[in-house]
Amino acid sequence: MTRKPTKTAAPSAARANAKVSVVARSDEAPASSRATRAAERRAAIVDAAMEEFIVRGFTATRLDDIAKRAGVAKGTIYLHFKDKESMFEELVRTVIVPVVAKLNALPPPTGSVRDLVEAFASNFLKEVIGTRRGDLVRLIVAEGPRFPSVADFYYREVVSRGMAGMRALIELGIARGEIREKNLARYPQILVAPAMIAVIWQSLFARHAPLDAQDMLRVHLDLIFGERRTT
């Protein structure tokens, strides 16, 4: 009588595969937790750096102060950033760049170019004036001349993108006949001047003469596009 061969290999392989899956899942979980904790520490460091830079200025801020405010060891900072400048660049990327990026992400205007410019500028003023973003911009204006690399980075990441977006809108306004002064395309800085004036005025003179930045913007746009017609 012949015995039928038994199939023992398949169950063994299945058990082995099951063990591998369990081990893989257990490895993935700690890795995911570590990544989450690292991201949280990085965010805490960036938040602390922003507070320290605004309170003390770029020059006077020390990594020890940032570490203390973030609740981490000083050595932990070096796991994420090589120095103060790279930390400041991260601040600009996370706090300022997204606001300016909205300009280049605007859809083609279905209404007037003025409406599009006014909507973006109004939103920019709301998100910057009287906020930590405004404090950061003032810090760059104040300390940029002493730290050319910081100013250069800000120009590349923020100013040049904002100017390109504004120039494109101006050229569209000229093509549509909404803007009569064609030379404005050469100086898009004129279009965004109220925003910079408002940021600086807020920190220096607001307690003496409060500024209605939104109303100033509307007057400024009247000078460029002409007064709105009222029906």
Side-chain angles (χ1 to χ4, degrees):
M1 208 176 149
T2 6
R3 292 184 180 179
K4 291 183 181 179
T6 55
K7 297 181 180 179
T8 56
S12 301
R15 284 194 296 272
N17 288 336
K19 287 179 182 177
V20 169
S21 299
V22 170
V23 171
R25 283 195 298 271
S26 64
D27 285 344
E28 287 170 6
S32 174
S33 299
R34 286 195 298 272
T36 301
R37 287 195 299 271
E40 289 172 350
R41 281 194 296 269
R42 184 182 180 90
I45 292 168
V46 171
D47 288 343
M50 186 168 190
E51 294 301 319
E52 289 295 324
F53 283 138
I54 289 170
V55 171
R56 302 174 187 273
F58 186 82
T59 307
T61 294
R62 303 179 307 159
L63 292 182
D64 301 83
D65 299 322
I66 294 172
K68 184 178 180 180
R69 186 182 285 269
V72 300
K74 183 179 177 180
T76 303
I77 291 179
Y78 289 109
L79 297 176
H80 299 275
F81 304 100
K82 63 178 182 179
D83 51 27
K84 278 200 304 184
E85 287 188 10
S86 63
M87 201 178 300
F88 194 82
E89 289 174 1
E90 178 74 1
L91 267 177
V92 172
R93 285 193 194 96
T94 57
V95 176
I96 304 291
V97 169
V99 179
V100 177
K102 291 177 183 177
L103 176 61
N104 294 311
L106 290 172
T110 53
S112 69
V113 172
R114 172 177 176 148
D115 287 340
L116 199 62
V117 172
E118 191 164 2
F120 171 78
S122 296
N123 185 63
F124 181 87
L125 290 175
K126 286 177 186 174
E127 294 195 26
V128 174
I129 302 300
T131 70
R132 282 305 198 215
R133 290 188 179 97
D135 293 332
L136 195 59
V137 173
R138 285 190 288 272
L139 180 63
I140 292 166
V141 172
E143 302 211 29
R146 284 183 288 174
F147 299 94
S149 60
V150 170
D152 291 348
F153 175 81
Y154 188 77
Y155 179 82
R156 288 195 310 271
E157 296 295 320
V158 178
V159 176
S160 62
R161 295 180 183 185
M163 291 301 98
M166 282 297 171
R167 183 177 286 109
L169 287 176
I170 292 168
E171 289 172 348
L172 181 59
I174 292 171
R176 288 186 173 186
E178 292 184 49
I179 298 174
R180 299 178 63 182
E181 179 51 74
K182 296 182 179 180
N183 284 325
L184 184 62
R186 295 170 55 198
Y187 303 104
Q189 295 90 339
I190 293 174
L191 198 57
V192 298
M196 288 306 299
I197 290 172
V199 167
I200 295 170
W201 190 278
Q202 179 70 18
S203 62
L204 295 177
F205 311 119
R207 66 185 182 278
H208 303 296
L211 178 67
D212 186 336
Q214 296 287 354
D215 193 51
M216 180 176 68
L217 171 66
R218 284 189 288 272
V219 172
H220 181 67
L221 293 181
D222 281 346
L223 294 172
I224 293 173
F225 291 92
E227 290 186 25
R228 285 190 183 278
R229 294 181 181 179
T230 54
T231 53

